[in-house]
Amino acid sequence: MTPFQYARASDVADAIKQIATDPSARFIAGGTNLLDLIKYDVATPTRLIDISRLPLRNVEETAAGGVLIGALVPNTDLAYHPLIEARYPLLSRAILAGASQQLRNMASTGGNLLQRTRCFYFYDATTPCNKREPGSGCSAIDGVNRINAILGTSEACIATHPSDMCVALAALDATVHVTGPAGKRSLALVDFHRLPGDTPQRDTNLAADELITSVDLPSRGFATNYTYLKIRDRLSYAFALVSVAVGLELDAGAIKEARFALGGVAHKPWRNELAEAVLRGQPPSEAAFMQAADLVLREAKGFGSNTFKIDLARKTIVRALSQAARGTPQSQSNKKIA
Ligand SMILES: Cc1cc2nc3c(=O)[nH]c(=O)nc-3n(C[C@H](O)[C@H](O)[C@H](O)COP(=O)(O)OP(=O)(O)OC[C@H]3O[C@@H](n4cnc5c(N)ncnc54)[C@H](O)[C@@H]3O)c2cc1C
Ligand code: SF4
């Protein structure tokens, strides 16, 4: 492990100033991902800037009728916050499907957005990996790729983004607010994470000297017809092979609004607006859900050990949409359509 200095940021301006003056410095929040990366020699910051005491821990209603979430709100606090449980239960469910209670107590909202892939080779510094060492090659394409991506892949990288929380945020149309030396800006969650292309070392469109300050949820929360369905090798403490976050609005027996995002299948939470559009105006039915799933997966590509994910994703989309339409989110009672 490379030795590093430790400094505590006194406020947001101080955090930005400290990171801007030292290109090899990194922010640390809960530390649940960064410290592992340092131990595995994947990240080698020479200075850690501790942001965990900055006043970014509020969850508050916005004038637009939505909710603003501070970047340092712990995952547990967010999942159990009364505003989130009542108005955005999809987000609560997604967070609680991830990691363990202890990890969720430490993990922050901003850190969750920026957690890095769990591709096995990324964590093994003895193997080629374009994300860890650009130009070295991708060990996963012809290697052990059971957990890797089937959508949006490139010849350089087939990693997935592992977050559960971000999949729900994508379906909810969240916005990420950031501050850097040039001032404040906002990015739609769906544009925050990148596809690997030929720069897989860049996971997001956040600059190295920018701090995430908050995440904004619009007023539409899909609190009646929603589901977060996560398929994994074990029922707890495992990352998604495939997950689907769904929010539906039903009106007079037809789908008025449909959102769904996939996790575990791409370098970013995966949304397909065409697939959502075909659902609007249709009565909820297996045929309609199959049609939407086929649209999402028409360009899916497997790499051997992960090819099973294409069929798994199709079935998971259909099941998640069906659950949401019935108003039976995962792990709740099996309420039937009247
Ligand atoms: C064993 C294990 C199992 C897990 N299982 C799951 C799972 O099933 N699902 C899931 O979604 N997640 C899972 N996680 C991941 C966990 O959710 C993340 O590690 C956590 O959310 C990261 O948050 P953190 O505050 O600890 O980030 P840190 O480790 O402190 O930071 C992560 C990165 O974000 C940067 N950063 C942090 N905050 C900011 C900010 N405000 N602005 C700019 N940069 C910032 C840091 O510099 C660092 O690069 C698991 C983790 C472990 C260790
Ligand atoms: S898939 Fe990406 S992270 Fe995994 S080995 Fe290839 S380049 Fe590295």
Side-chain angles (χ1 to χ4, degrees):
M1 193 165 107
T2 311
F4 55 82
Q5 293 181 325
Y6 170 87
R8 197 176 281 169
S10 55
D11 55 27
V12 168
D14 181 46
I16 303 299
K17 193 171 141 206
Q18 288 199 46
I19 201 107
T21 51
D22 187 350
S24 63
R26 291 287 175 276
F27 294 131
I28 183 163
T32 60
N33 189 215
L34 184 56
L35 291 177
D36 277 352
L37 293 167
I38 292 174
K39 287 182 204 160
Y40 285 108
D41 260 342
V42 176
T44 52
T46 52
R47 185 179 169 87
L48 290 185
I49 302 165
D50 185 350
I51 56 170
S52 63
R53 288 171 175 80
L54 297 184
L56 302 171
R57 284 180 174 251
N58 288 344
V59 178
E60 57 201 38
E61 291 186 89
T62 62
V67 169
L68 192 69
I69 303 159
L72 290 167
V73 176
N75 285 182
T76 303
D77 294 12
L78 185 57
Y80 292 122
H81 193 284
L83 272 178
I84 303 299
E85 281 191 316
R87 289 173 50 189
Y88 307 93
L90 170 59
L91 180 56
S92 290
R93 292 291 169 135
I95 294 171
L96 295 175
S100 64
Q101 182 69 52
Q102 291 89 340
L103 282 159
R104 293 192 296 265
N105 290 346
M106 289 299 293
S108 65
T109 303
N112 195 316
L113 284 161
L114 292 171
Q115 64 175 292
R116 306 212 69 189
T117 184
R118 307 309 287 200
C119 175
F120 303 129
Y121 302 100
F122 179 66
Y123 285 79
D124 180 354
T126 63
T127 59
C129 168
N130 288 322
K131 186 180 276 299
R132 181 171 23 79
E133 195 182 334
S136 63
C138 172
S139 300
I141 286 178
D142 295 317
V144 180
N145 54 38
R146 174 177 163 73
I147 63 168
N148 289 72
I150 53 170
L151 286 163
T153 54
S154 74
E155 286 177 9
C157 180
I158 59 169
T160 60
H161 190 262
S163 168
D164 291 294
M165 185 189 83
C166 293
V167 185
L169 290 178
L172 290 167
D173 261 350
T175 302
V176 184
H177 300 298
V178 309
T179 302
K184 299 180 180 179
R185 66 186 181 111
S186 304
L187 297 89
L189 191 282
V190 289
D191 299 327
F192 184 80
H193 299 96
R194 296 162 59 96
L195 290 181
D198 56 7
T199 53
Q201 67 275 21
R202 289 197 62 194
D203 293 347
T204 71
N205 287 313
L206 188 76
D209 55 6
E210 286 181 314
L211 178 81
I212 299 173
T213 52
S214 59
V215 174
D216 209 333
L217 293 176
S219 58
R220 208 170 212 166
F222 300 98
T224 306
N225 291 96
Y226 70 92
T227 282
Y228 186 71
L229 180 56
K230 177 175 179 179
I231 308 296
R232 46 192 151 168
D233 283 329
R234 296 181 305 276
L235 201 54
S236 71
Y237 207 44
F239 290 91
L241 290 168
V242 172
S243 69
V244 181
V246 180
L248 297 177
E249 265 181 29
L250 305 178
D251 186 25
I255 298 171
K256 185 175 163 203
E257 177 62 6
R259 304 262 189 81
F260 67 100
L262 274 68
V265 296
H267 205 253
K268 59 187 289 185
W270 193 264
R271 269 192 60 192
N272 182 317
E273 289 185 4
L274 213 56
E276 293 172 1
V278 299
L279 291 175
R280 287 186 204 115
Q282 294 211 51
S285 69
E286 191 167 322
F289 299 153
M290 285 287 281
Q291 191 189 0
D294 285 343
L295 266 172
V296 173
L297 295 164
R298 67 185 165 173
E299 285 172 14
K301 178 181 168 192
F303 294 85
S305 310
N306 74 344
T307 306
F308 75 99
K309 278 191 178 187
I310 300 174
D311 194 40
L312 181 63
R314 180 172 289 107
K315 289 178 173 146
T316 311
I317 292 170
V318 173
R319 191 172 131 199
L321 285 163
S322 306
Q323 285 182 184
R326 284 198 303 265
T328 55
Q330 190 184 14
S331 313
Q332 281 199 344
S333 64
N334 286 325
K335 196 175 90 189
K336 292 262 186 315
I337 299 177

